[in-house]
Amino acid sequence: MNETLVTSSVSKGCFVFKSASKKRKRHVGLDEYLADADDDSGRDRFRICQKLWETVQTSTEEIQDQLNKKVLDSLVEFIKKHELGSSSDVWRQKTSEIPTAALMLGVNVPDHAMTFRSLCNLLQDSVTPFVVSVHAKECAAVKHLIQKVLEQLMGKAVSVDEEQEEDAALPQKAQCTISALCQWYKTATKKYSQKQNDNGLPQSLPVVVIFKDFEAFNSQILQDFIIICSRYIQELPFIFVFGIATSPSAVQHRLPHSVSSLLCIEIFQSLSCTQHLASVFDKLILNAHFPFKLSSRVIQVLVGIFLYHDFSVQNFVKGLQFSMLEHFSSQPLSVLCCRKREALLCAKTLSQQNVERVRHLSSFMRYVETQEPEEQVKLLTNDQHVKEVCQTLLKNLHKYHKNYFPILQCLHSLTSSLPKFPLGKHIRELHVSCNEKNLWETEEYDSAMQLLRILAKNELVAALQGCSDILQSASSKRMQTVFQQVEDFINRLKRLESVSSEDSSGNGAISGKIDYQRKTDLFQLQKTLLEKESRRTKKMSPFEVLRSQVMEFIDSLVREYLTPAHLQPLSEVCYFSSSGILRQRLNVTPRTSIQAALSHPYYYLQNESLKTNAGTISSAAPDLCIVYKLHLECGRLINLYDWLEAFLTVLSAAEDQDDGSDHGQFDSLKHARFIQAVSEMEFLGFVKSTKQKTDHVARLTWGGC
């Protein structure tokens, strides 16, 4: 069936677009895509990827619930408090005030849906079954807002048309009025009061209305709805929840004092999105038991999108999941990216094709170069020996991760409290620095170690205690040994007596040999001070000696365990490093994509007739592409007649003109095609109408791709 689309544009025309064909290409799922790969590990890769995908989903939901637990529990207590007071005489006297919770969620709007879903489930399970959540896009008028509230509460269709309400053919639809809701509420509460002995529900149940995107609602609609609800507050115990993304002042900006005075507002603050991201980072990325890893550049791309676009943790997780899909679909050796025991079993049964892929890995080639000549020959010729070596290398890779992350957390615990954060404020910044190059060769590391070497005794003990708490939960034997060493340092520092004062030899004062009666020689004074300073540094106190030992111990741990991941053999198996593909897929620029499609339609349509040389225009190209290329040759204002003439010239360049053809009808068809193409150009934002000249349009974009 054809659909007619009327557009208000340059042409002021009406165009007919044919509906899409019912025949659709068969959708190929990830399992079929991996199974059709050129090796026999496609099914195994799909199974591993699916398991990791479910782990990411479950962990993300658990983190979200844990972070929101405090604020959601506070909201429930707020609603219960007003619920218990709804039947008292004090509440009855305040007939115009509606209890309102202003929930500050932050600007990460894509993450709000999960929070509101958890809130609705929690309220329905523990407080009241009468919970409504509304979106601004669904409420273009007050009657639509009331309709959504009634439909969600009453569980059936509600009519907003007065003529339909009087129609006897529609008896199943209820009237869209608050008074109808009052009648339904009385009936519903009676049913619940009869079951009170069974489930313990109170007699008076509040009606909770959640405005998910408070700032997006029309101000007048909100005002009218609040005023209407305040008049029925004695019969309907309304409680509002405002989901606010900006600041509490949004309520004052949207509602005048006469309306906001009808609300009893209490503010609830959720955790910031950066804290949420840090929790996800610790649980998924900085986790030795999660086999899939991201390279430093991929992390920078994902964090950059998070910080400079939407602050959405959900979108960050989607980027992580897309990285998993790309890694498991493009890397056949990702079949080894799984738990240690399963990875060793897969390494034993590697196919000959995958063994050759292992030999071509850059990290494995570096490993081969470090071996003896006889071992190199075996690694390059004996497939069974390669499988055995792969098992050993995979064990070492898992051991590397078990030791890397605890030491990384310890170093961050030591340096996060230093002034100016030389190694970064967040652990992800330190993780990126460790993966890019040797951390101990950077100026930031030297600066951090210099600051650690001047820590006081109490500060050093507190810092080492934080490291001890981290290492205590580590699972590897080596980390348990490190834990015992840290505990030994802490005990030695606690047993150490307070640092004695300067001895009577006058280390801190200028020697009396200097004759102050005569004129002071600045050079001699400087020389004397330097001598005293050098003599003083040579004689260190017991605390300074022990502090120096602690710093040397920490430096040795960093050099031993915080080596870059790409230096580990077989790191390509579990590390996704294609940051360019990720940036191209997630951080897209729509204008560049549209310009590329219009300038080079062959790359999208794969039609040989669309191949053209640079600077030429094919008459076989779509009309929109022809009009777009012609408009690139124009200035700020484009004459529509000249544009049409150029368009007709391109179309008739490769067409054979028959003497018997109807030229008038043919030209009319070309005119209609040109008008449609110009309208599409205006819709895409390349041109617009101008009042300067009626037969011209203004060009809006400059520069191509």
Side-chain angles (χ1 to χ4, degrees):
M1 182 177 179
N2 295 343
E3 297 178 0
T4 303
L5 176 64
V6 181
T7 58
S8 176
S9 61
V10 175
S11 60
K12 306 294 182 184
C14 178
F15 309 106
V16 177
F17 299 91
K18 293 184 178 180
S19 58
S21 176
K22 294 183 179 179
K23 295 182 179 180
R24 295 183 179 179
K25 294 183 179 180
R26 185 176 65 90
H27 177 71
V28 180
L30 177 65
D31 53 345
E32 297 181 20
Y33 174 75
L34 293 177
D36 294 339
D38 56 354
D39 63 284
D40 55 355
S41 63
R43 294 287 183 184
D44 293 333
R45 283 188 284 149
F46 168 73
R47 176 180 51 80
I48 297 171
C49 181
Q50 188 178 37
K51 186 183 297 183
L52 293 178
W53 183 289
E54 293 173 355
T55 302
V56 171
Q57 288 290 114
T58 305
S59 301
T60 304
E61 292 177 359
E62 291 177 355
I63 293 171
Q64 180 87 6
D65 293 339
Q66 292 174 1
L67 295 178
N68 290 333
K69 186 177 186 305
K70 185 176 181 180
V71 65
L72 293 184
D73 289 344
S74 301
L75 268 172
V76 170
E77 291 299 324
F78 168 80
I79 295 174
K80 284 183 177 179
K81 178 180 68 176
H82 288 279
E83 170 197 356
L84 294 175
S86 61
S87 59
S88 63
D89 296 336
V90 177
W91 180 84
R92 291 294 178 184
Q93 293 174 0
K94 300 180 179 180
T95 55
S96 61
E97 285 192 3
I98 302 176
T100 304
L103 181 57
M104 313 305 301
L105 295 173
V107 296
N108 50 329
V109 178
D111 300 338
H112 295 178
M114 187 178 294
T115 303
F116 286 121
R117 185 165 59 249
S118 301
L119 176 61
C120 291
N121 295 335
L122 185 61
L123 291 176
Q124 290 176 345
D125 293 340
S126 59
V127 182
T128 175
F130 307 136
V131 180
V132 181
S133 58
V134 290
H135 276 289
K137 63 182 180 181
E138 302 172 344
C139 307
V142 180
K143 60 181 181 181
H144 296 143
L145 176 56
I146 298 176
Q147 180 189 17
K148 288 295 178 182
V149 172
L150 267 65
E151 285 182 350
Q152 293 188 40
L153 288 175
M154 302 170 68
K156 60 181 180 179
V158 178
S159 174
V160 297
D161 193 349
E162 295 180 358
E163 295 181 358
Q164 292 182 359
E165 292 174 7
E166 298 176 357
D167 193 349
L170 298 171
Q172 72 279 8
K173 290 191 176 182
Q175 294 183 356
C176 182
T177 59
I178 299 295
S179 58
L181 178 61
C182 291
Q183 296 297 326
W184 174 88
Y185 177 78
K186 292 179 181 178
T187 305
T189 50
K190 286 181 180 179
K191 293 180 180 179
Y192 280 107
S193 62
Q194 294 175 358
K195 300 178 182 180
Q196 185 174 358
N197 296 330
D198 297 334
N199 53 25
L201 287 173
Q203 184 175 2
S204 179
L205 297 169
V207 178
V208 182
V209 182
I210 302 175
F211 298 84
K212 293 185 176 181
D213 44 355
F214 176 78
E215 290 95 337
F217 276 87
N218 182 277
S219 178
Q220 190 60 46
I221 294 176
L222 283 174
Q223 296 176 32
D224 294 343
F225 183 75
I226 292 172
I227 293 173
I228 294 173
C229 292
S230 65
R231 294 175 180 174
Y232 289 88
I233 192 65
Q234 194 169 4
E235 302 176 30
L236 283 172
F238 281 109
I239 295 180
F240 293 161
V241 177
F242 292 161
I244 300 176
T246 53
S247 64
S249 60
V251 178
Q252 300 175 354
H253 295 159
R254 308 289 295 173
L255 304 175
H257 177 71
S258 59
V259 178
S260 60
S261 60
L262 301 176
L263 305 176
C264 179
I265 302 177
E266 186 171 338
I267 298 176
F268 297 86
Q269 183 70 52
S270 65
L271 291 177
S272 65
C273 52
T274 53
Q275 292 175 305
H276 191 180
L277 177 65
S279 301
V280 172
F281 212 87
D282 293 340
K283 188 74 175 287
L284 296 178
I285 298 178
L286 302 181
N287 186 355
H289 301 290
F290 189 71
F292 178 72
K293 308 296 179 186
L294 301 176
S295 68
S296 58
R297 292 190 177 182
V298 172
I299 292 175
Q300 288 175 331
V301 171
L302 291 177
V303 174
I305 295 174
F306 172 83
L307 293 176
Y308 300 110
H309 285 76
D310 52 9
F311 290 100
S312 173
V313 178
Q314 293 298 318
N315 290 343
F316 179 87
V317 173
K318 290 178 182 178
L320 173 62
Q321 292 174 330
F322 175 80
S323 302
M324 290 170 49
L325 293 178
E326 187 66 28
H327 179 70
F328 281 93
S329 62
S330 62
Q331 175 57 273
L333 294 176
S334 60
V335 68
L336 302 175
C337 180
C338 50
R339 300 279 185 177
K340 180 180 177 180
R341 183 177 299 178
E342 188 176 356
L344 295 178
L345 292 175
C346 293
K348 288 182 181 179
T349 59
L350 281 177
S351 63
Q352 183 179 3
Q353 191 176 17
N354 280 338
V355 170
E356 287 299 322
R357 290 190 176 106
V358 169
R359 291 193 177 108
H360 286 84
L361 293 177
S362 58
S363 62
F364 188 81
M365 294 172 65
R366 288 194 300 267
Y367 171 77
V368 173
E369 292 173 357
T370 60
Q371 303 302 308
E372 297 295 331
E374 296 180 358
E375 180 68 15
Q376 291 182 1
V377 173
K378 288 184 179 180
L379 291 173
L380 297 177
T381 58
N382 191 336
D383 291 352
Q384 185 61 34
H385 184 63
V386 172
K387 295 179 183 179
E388 296 174 357
V389 172
C390 281
Q391 297 177 46
T392 303
L393 295 179
L394 286 173
K395 290 180 181 178
N396 295 336
L397 186 61
H398 284 270
K399 187 183 298 182
Y400 162 79
H401 288 143
K402 285 186 176 181
N403 297 332
Y404 172 87
F405 292 113
I407 299 300
L408 180 74
Q409 294 173 356
C410 289
L411 183 60
H412 177 257
S413 176
L414 289 169
T415 59
S416 59
S417 59
L418 296 178
K420 296 185 179 180
F421 309 106
L423 293 181
K425 184 178 180 180
H426 303 285
I427 193 172
R428 62 174 179 267
E429 300 172 1
L430 179 59
H431 176 59
V432 169
S433 301
C434 291
N435 275 278
E436 286 181 339
K437 53 185 176 182
N438 293 332
L439 181 66
W440 55 89
E441 297 176 355
T442 61
E443 296 180 359
E444 293 80 5
Y445 179 77
D446 293 337
S447 176
M449 294 304 293
Q450 290 178 3
L451 293 173
L452 288 175
R453 287 189 178 97
I454 61 175
L455 286 179
K457 176 184 173 182
N458 294 335
E459 295 174 344
L460 184 59
V461 170
L464 290 178
Q465 190 62 51
C467 295
S468 176
D469 296 338
I470 295 171
L471 294 170
Q472 191 174 8
S473 59
S475 57
S476 66
K477 295 181 180 179
R478 181 67 182 99
M479 289 298 102
Q480 290 301 317
T481 304
V482 175
F483 167 70
Q484 295 297 334
Q485 292 174 305
V486 172
E487 283 291 319
D488 180 62
F489 279 121
I490 294 175
N491 294 331
R492 290 169 61 184
L493 285 169
K494 289 181 178 180
R495 290 194 304 264
L496 196 65
E497 295 181 357
S498 60
V499 181
S500 59
S501 59
E502 300 289 342
D503 53 25
S504 57
S505 60
N507 289 334
I510 300 175
S511 175
K513 294 181 180 180
I514 299 178
D515 188 2
Y516 290 99
Q517 299 297 329
R518 63 180 181 179
K519 188 176 181 180
T520 304
D521 186 0
L522 294 179
F523 176 77
Q524 185 67 26
L525 178 62
Q526 184 180 14
K527 182 180 178 181
T528 306
L529 290 173
L530 290 175
E531 290 177 356
K532 299 302 179 182
E533 184 66 25
S534 62
R535 191 181 307 134
R536 188 179 174 188
T537 55
K538 290 179 182 178
K539 187 178 180 181
M540 300 175 63
S541 65
F543 167 70
E544 292 173 340
V545 174
L546 185 55
R547 182 175 59 187
S548 178
Q549 294 176 2
V550 172
M551 292 303 107
E552 292 176 0
F553 173 71
I554 293 173
D555 184 65
S556 65
L557 293 178
V558 171
R559 294 174 183 269
E560 183 178 359
Y561 298 111
L562 296 188
T563 55
H566 65 269
L567 299 179
Q568 303 297 319
L570 301 185
S571 60
E572 296 91 339
V573 167
C574 55
Y575 277 85
F576 176 72
S577 58
S578 302
S579 58
I581 295 177
L582 189 66
R583 186 182 293 107
Q584 183 181 1
R585 296 291 188 271
L586 299 182
N587 196 15
V588 296
T589 52
R591 176 185 169 185
T592 303
S593 302
I594 293 174
Q595 288 178 326
L598 296 179
S599 302
H600 310 286
Y602 168 75
Y603 295 105
Y604 288 84
L605 302 179
Q606 295 296 315
N607 189 343
E608 293 295 330
S609 63
L610 298 178
K611 281 188 175 181
T612 58
N613 298 326
T616 60
I617 303 175
S618 173
S619 60
D623 296 341
L624 180 60
C625 298
I626 298 175
V627 170
Y628 172 78
K629 288 188 175 182
L630 290 174
H631 112 285
L632 294 177
E633 303 173 0
C634 303
R636 188 177 66 86
L637 294 178
I638 305 175
N639 189 305
L640 286 173
Y641 181 78
D642 295 340
W643 201 3
L644 172 62
E645 288 296 320
F647 176 75
L648 296 176
T649 302
V650 172
L651 289 184
S652 45
E655 293 179 355
D656 295 329
Q657 300 292 335
D658 297 332
D659 295 335
S661 60
D662 191 349
H663 294 284
Q665 180 66 23
F666 191 73
D667 289 340
S668 299
L669 180 60
K670 289 183 179 180
H671 292 172
R673 291 167 58 184
F674 173 76
I675 292 172
Q676 180 177 352
V678 173
S679 299
E680 293 172 350
M681 286 281 291
E682 184 185 18
F683 177 75
L684 292 175
F686 290 106
V687 295
K688 72 171 184 177
S689 304
T690 177
K691 296 182 179 180
Q692 296 181 6
K693 294 182 179 180
T694 56
D695 58 343
H696 286 64
V697 292
R699 183 177 172 182
L700 299 178
T701 61
W702 302 91
C705 55

